[in-house]
Amino acid sequence: MDKLRWGILSTGNIANSFAQGLRVVEDAELVAVGSRSQDSADAFAQKYNIPHAHDSYQALADNPNVDVVYIGTPHVFHAENTLMCLEAGKHVLCEKPFTINASEAEQCVALAREKNLFLMEAIWMRFLPAIIEIEKIIKDGVIGDIQQIQADFSFYIPYDPEHRLFNLDLGGGALLDVGIYPISFTTILLGMPESIASHAILADSGADQQCTMLFNYSSASALLSAGIAGDLENGAVIKGTKGKIIVDPQFFMTTSFSVQLYGEEPQKKSFVMLGNGYNYEAQAVHDAIRAGNIEHERLTHQETITTMRLMDDLRQQWGVIYPQEA
């Protein structure tokens, strides 16, 4: 079987993580990297033994040796980069958040469908063994019906209006950067909420630096938070009618969790993480492309669009508008 040949668009931290993950995907070959400068592309190529180093994103997209492109640029550029790669006939895995709003997401999905090319948002958490096992335990009814989910993802970074996390020109804010993780964790298990209440604290730049969300379902609720101005536990708890699942801190990259039925001692489950974890989403891309699919069942086009609409609605509640939307 021929290997799938990858190109990586960008040379930042997340691009490095993905390149490391590809090393343990047996039928993957990293053949090209694209950057805005030749020096950066050359350094990245030397680090990962990549034969083709391009000084522009367009050159990477046009490389005939590339089958699929991983996009790791700041999310304000995701739609532009995705559309460019799809137009060039490349399958695409685009880092989360998929785009900055639902309108951009719809454009990308429409072009992928028109071109019959695979396209997926890179939420690596969705494909981790521990997360898949949590979903199975819940489907098997081990802890009964879900009544409540609590999840948070927050960290501290000093305020700098020019930093991408605080800069609205670069799609700044906690919601799109880290809030998508507790949101995605919840929608894996409960689907989309029937209604949402929320509150955000805005930085001087206008970006949301802290947000809290209450997702309401007919017989359950989810209390979620995200922030870039202070640390929280970054854990998650799923409470059911028979018991609960406690996910170790950093639920979004967990390798262990505990299942506790009420009145009994908790039982811990641990998993070996192959590679650095990014390999699981890469393998999912391979599986889908090999099967002739243009989307993956664990993260469909429609779910990505619906999640972007949800985050659009949240930002509208807070009055957070990106310059590109004005």
Side-chain angles (χ1 to χ4, degrees):
M1 175 170 39
D2 291 337
K3 291 187 175 183
L4 278 176
R5 300 168 301 177
W6 283 84
I8 293 182
L9 193 153
S10 179
T11 56
N13 290 336
I14 197 73
N16 276 270
S17 295
F18 189 78
Q20 293 163 21
L22 273 184
R23 287 172 165 170
V24 299
V25 181
E26 291 185 358
D27 62 337
E29 184 179 5
L30 181 51
V31 301
V33 61
S35 178
R36 291 173 296 180
S37 77
Q38 191 65 59
D39 287 347
S40 178
D42 288 342
F44 195 93
Q46 183 176 13
K47 184 176 182 179
Y48 297 104
N49 194 28
I50 302 171
H52 301 284
H54 300 288
D55 65 355
S56 74
Y57 297 152
Q58 186 67 60
L60 171 67
D62 291 337
N63 187 328
N65 298 297
V66 173
D67 301 312
V68 54
V69 175
Y70 168 78
I71 294 172
T73 50
H75 36 269
V76 72
F77 303 116
H78 284 179
E80 173 187 343
N81 298 155
T82 295
L83 293 170
M84 177 186 66
C85 291
L86 291 171
E87 286 287 5
K90 304 298 190 287
H91 303 293
V92 173
L93 175 66
C94 182
E95 188 52 52
K96 60 80 195 163
F98 189 58
T99 53
I100 62 167
N101 57 37
S103 175
E104 288 187 349
E106 289 166 352
Q107 293 177 50
C108 293
V109 166
L111 185 59
R113 291 176 175 174
E114 176 188 329
K115 299 283 189 179
N116 197 35
L117 292 166
F118 180 84
L119 175 64
M120 189 176 79
E121 183 178 16
I123 302 181
W124 68 308
M125 173 188 71
R126 281 287 179 111
F127 301 93
L128 297 179
I131 298 297
I132 292 173
E133 181 64 17
I134 288 171
E135 189 176 4
K136 181 179 183 299
I137 287 171
I138 290 170
K139 285 183 176 179
D140 289 344
V142 174
I143 65 166
D145 296 328
I146 296 176
Q147 294 181 320
Q148 188 177 42
I149 293 175
Q150 294 180 355
D152 58 69
F153 186 175
S154 295
F155 58 89
Y156 174 75
I157 181 170
Y159 175 69
D160 176 359
E162 299 303 315
H163 191 286
R164 70 168 186 86
L165 288 173
F166 292 101
N167 189 340
L168 289 181
D169 289 335
L170 296 176
L175 176 65
L176 264 61
D177 199 77
V178 293
I180 192 169
Y181 282 108
I183 290 173
S184 186
F185 183 79
T186 299
T187 57
I188 293 172
L189 304 174
L190 290 173
M192 293 296 164
E194 297 173 10
S195 64
I196 301 172
S198 71
H199 178 69
I201 299 172
L202 305 186
D204 290 342
S205 64
D208 55 293
Q209 63 179 7
Q210 179 71 42
C211 59
T212 305
M213 301 158 279
L214 176 62
F215 285 15
N216 300 304
Y217 299 84
S218 59
S219 58
S221 62
L223 181 61
L224 315 174
S225 63
I228 54 176
D231 295 331
L232 288 173
E233 290 298 320
N234 294 343
V237 179
I238 306 160
K239 183 171 76 72
T241 53
K242 297 179 182 178
K244 61 185 177 181
I245 296 174
I246 304 166
V247 189
D248 289 346
Q250 296 190 307
F251 72 92
F252 44 87
M253 56 185 294
T254 188
T255 57
S256 64
F257 60 88
S258 297
V259 180
Q260 182 176 17
L261 300 182
Y262 298 132
E264 300 182 13
E265 291 297 313
Q267 302 296 314
K268 187 163 186 174
K269 295 181 177 288
S270 299
F271 300 81
V272 175
M273 180 90 82
L274 297 177
N276 65 355
Y278 287 84
N279 43 292
Y280 294 107
E281 66 179 357
Q283 187 62 59
V285 173
H286 283 225
D287 294 342
I289 291 174
R290 301 287 191 201
N293 298 325
I294 64 170
E295 59 186 328
H296 197 283
E297 62 182 3
R298 283 193 63 78
L299 189 53
T300 65
H301 293 163
Q302 188 56 55
E303 181 174 0
T304 288
I305 290 171
T306 303
T307 300
M308 292 307 309
R309 287 176 183 157
L310 184 155
M311 293 194 294
D312 287 353
D313 290 343
L314 287 166
R315 288 193 298 109
Q316 185 176 36
Q317 291 180 22
W318 310 332
V320 176
I321 300 172
Y322 299 122
Q324 297 88 342
E325 301 172 309

